[in-house]
């Protein structure tokens, strides 16, 4: 029965494949989502633009990060930076946490260094998935205090989570601590011309190419799902 259930979940994951996305951020709103380029660091193929993004107040003493995963297992890394281009200077907010089970996952009280309060910045979410590392960013205004509860903050009942060591996530560039970066190591950030964006995506698929891609990815996610 358990095996059957896993199998049908795998079929579902394979069917959903790229179409339903690898993962989405439910709260705070992301600066942009396109599942074909979600693997582009640091923000899933979008740049942060405080003049047009939906900017959310994020409370440094604890606030909500709500996600939805379309992979049966994924490992999350939550980061924050005061670099408004999201090019680097990241501070890890929690150890890598592995979600087992599809759909909703929410950390209701993620803390940010108190010194961030009063500044604009970016919350970065990196997900180690069977499709590689995937990224999303939220443009935020760091404020003092604790954030309000969000109705969208919930865990799927069948989901379990635990802190894990994740070599891929811990070797991400610019995963620096606040104290290490305050001495100036953040200056090695990429120039704006090298920043990934929707415009220079490597995924120019269309028509039959897209169909082939979906089939390959579908089979791959089905196989990955069985492991
Ligand atoms: C900004 O995000 C909030 C929270 O997700 C949402 O309720 C609101 O509709 C968004 N506003 C715009 C302009 O997209
Ligand atoms: C979801 O699960 C994580 C990990 O067990 C836990 O830290 C968090 O508080 C849970 N979220 C909710 C909304 O209960
Ligand atoms: C890097 O982050 C630290 C705090 O963690 C901040 O004091 C510093 O101004 C930041 N540097 C840049 C270039 O954003
Ligand atoms: Cu995926």
């Amino acid at each position: 029965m358990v095996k059957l259930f896993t199998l049908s979940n795998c079929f579902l994951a394979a069917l959903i494949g790229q179409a339903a996305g690898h993962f989405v951020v439910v709260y705070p709103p992301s600066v942009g989502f396109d599942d074909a380029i979600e693997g582009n660091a640091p923000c899933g193929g979008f740049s942060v633009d405080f003049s047009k993004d939906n900017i959310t107040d994020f409370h440094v003493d604890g606030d909500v990060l709500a996600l939805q995963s379309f992979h049966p297992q994924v490992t999350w890394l939550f980061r924050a930076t005061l670099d408004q281009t999201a090019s680097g200077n990241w501070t890890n907010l929690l150890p890598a946490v592995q979600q087992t089970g599809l759909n909703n996952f929410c950390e209701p009280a993620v803390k940010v260094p108190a010194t961030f309060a009063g500044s604009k910045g970016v919350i970065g979410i990196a997900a180690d998935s069977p499709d590689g590392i995937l990224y999303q960013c939220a443009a935020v205004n760091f404020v003092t205090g604790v954030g309000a509860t969000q109705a969208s903050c919930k865990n799927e009942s069948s989901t379990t989570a635990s802190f894990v060591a994740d070599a891929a996530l811990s070797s991400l560039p610019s995963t620096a601590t606040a104290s290490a970066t305050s001495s100036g190591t953040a200056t090695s950030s990429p120039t704006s011309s090298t920043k990934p964006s929707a415009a220079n995506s490597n995924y120019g698929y269309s028509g039959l190419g897209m169909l082939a891609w979906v089939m390959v990815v579908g089979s791959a996610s089905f196989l990955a799902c069985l492991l």
Side-chain angles (χ1 to χ4, degrees), residues 17-18 21-23 71 129 131 134:
Q18 297 290 83
H22 314 277
F23 85 90
H71 289 285
S129 83
D131 302 327
L134 307 163

Side-chain angles (χ1 to χ4, degrees), residues 18 36-37 201-214 216-217:
Q18 297 290 83
I37 51 174
S201 133
N202 297 321
Y203 296 83
Y205 295 98
S206 61
L208 284 178
M210 184 55 142
L211 184 63
W213 174 247
V214 165
V216 166
V217 170

Side-chain angles (χ1 to χ4, degrees), residues 26-29 54 56:
V26 176
Y27 186 92
N54 192 344
T56 313

Side-chain angles (χ1 to χ4, degrees), residues 118-186:
S119 303
K120 288 185 170 62
V122 179
I123 298 282
I125 294 148
D128 189 358
S129 83
D131 302 327
I133 308 229
L134 307 163
Y135 303 87
Q136 285 283 276
C137 291
V140 300
N141 195 16
F142 292 111
V143 298
T144 55
V146 177
T149 316
Q150 301 286 333
S152 60
C153 183
K154 57 192 174 200
N155 285 344
E156 208 65 37
S157 56
S158 54
T159 286
T160 59
S162 56
F163 291 126
V164 294
D166 188 297
L169 290 175
S170 52
S171 65
L172 284 181
S174 303
T175 305
T177 61
S179 55
T181 52
S182 57
S183 55
T185 49

